[in-house]
Amino acid sequence: MKGKDRGFEILGYVVLGMLTLACIVPFWLLISGSLTDELTITTKGYSLIPAVFGTDAYGYIFNHYSLFLRSMTTSICVTVVGTILHTALAATMAYPLSKQELPGRGVLSFIVILTLLLNGGLVPTYLVYTQMLHIKNTFFALLVPTLLLNGYNIILMRNFFTASIPGSMIEAARIDGASEWTIFIKTVIPISKPMLTTIALMAGMSYWNDWNNGLYYITEEKRMGLQNILNSIIKNAQFLSAHASSGVSVNTVIPVESLRMAVALVAAIPMVIAYICLQKYFIAGMTMGAVKE
């Protein structure tokens, strides 16, 4: 029996090792491609080790440093504010839904689930935000549409509250005279830090990687976030490269292929760092929120 357990353990390590490599190798290729000379990529393709080292892609990005810094500041502000609001709204809605005695609980839960299955479509949504709420080309255009509240996160947090918050603790707080808000803020929230961190991390990733809102609701370049500016840089590089190949004089080689990799890496690094710092809370929150006793 011990031999079988040992064999199963070895198999588990092999499978996990292969899955780890499947995650690491593409990211390593991303780094390698961004540091490879453009001509080498064009002639030989991508490789895990740069055949000819080059930083033209990063030079091209940082040649637009003022635009880059402004868009980075916008994305950071949107991500921070959006993450805080998203987490707060999800928690305050999920906590009442975790109470069996809440009047209308079934209807509210149905509405939350319905938002995961149906939506009004792009055109009605666009008209509501631009013609009725008038948030086009404002900070709220990057903050409110689609991302401010998510039904999946509400359900995840509701399950956590239902399964992980002891009813005896809530009753003890009520006996001591605590109001529902006091119980929620001083008793429930401190216990829920792993789940709150998980929701905050997922919301933060959604805000940081979002470019749809900028595409639909932002037309002024000075108000665009990082993802839209990086996309714009790639399009400009492709435009210049196409004109250079058609015979129009261009002073420098445009690193289109390596620029794709560099842009993806620049956009991914902040979230990778955030995940590394918060992964223990993320794993604990996903485990506790996904299992209901």
Side-chain angles (χ1 to χ4, degrees), residues 8 13 16 21 55 59-60 68 93 95 113 116-117 138 167 194 216 222 248:
F8 183 77
Y13 279 119
L16 288 175
L21 286 176
T55 59
Y60 189 89
F68 179 79
M93 187 167 187
Y95 179 65
I113 295 173
L116 298 175
L117 305 176
T138 68
Y216 298 150
K222 64 181 181 180
V248 178

Side-chain angles (χ1 to χ4, degrees), residues 38 42 235-257:
E38 179 69 15
T42 305
K235 288 183 177 180
N236 291 339
Q238 291 174 333
F239 177 81
L240 292 174
S241 179
H243 279 69
S245 63
S246 63
V248 178
S249 177
V250 177
N251 294 329
T252 58
V253 176
I254 308 300
V256 177
E257 298 301 325

Side-chain angles (χ1 to χ4, degrees), residues 6-20:
R6 184 63 178 172
F8 183 77
E9 185 177 351
I10 293 173
L11 178 62
Y13 279 119
V14 171
V15 172
L16 288 175
M18 293 176 63
L19 292 175
T20 302

Side-chain angles (χ1 to χ4, degrees), residues 62 65-79 208 224-227 229-230 266-267 270:
F62 290 106
Y65 71 93
S66 59
L67 188 62
F68 179 79
L69 290 178
R70 185 172 66 234
S71 64
M72 175 76 79
T73 302
T74 299
S75 287
I76 290 174
C77 291
V78 169
T79 300
W208 182 261
M224 290 182 179
L226 179 64
Q227 305 297 337
I229 289 299
L230 293 177
V266 167

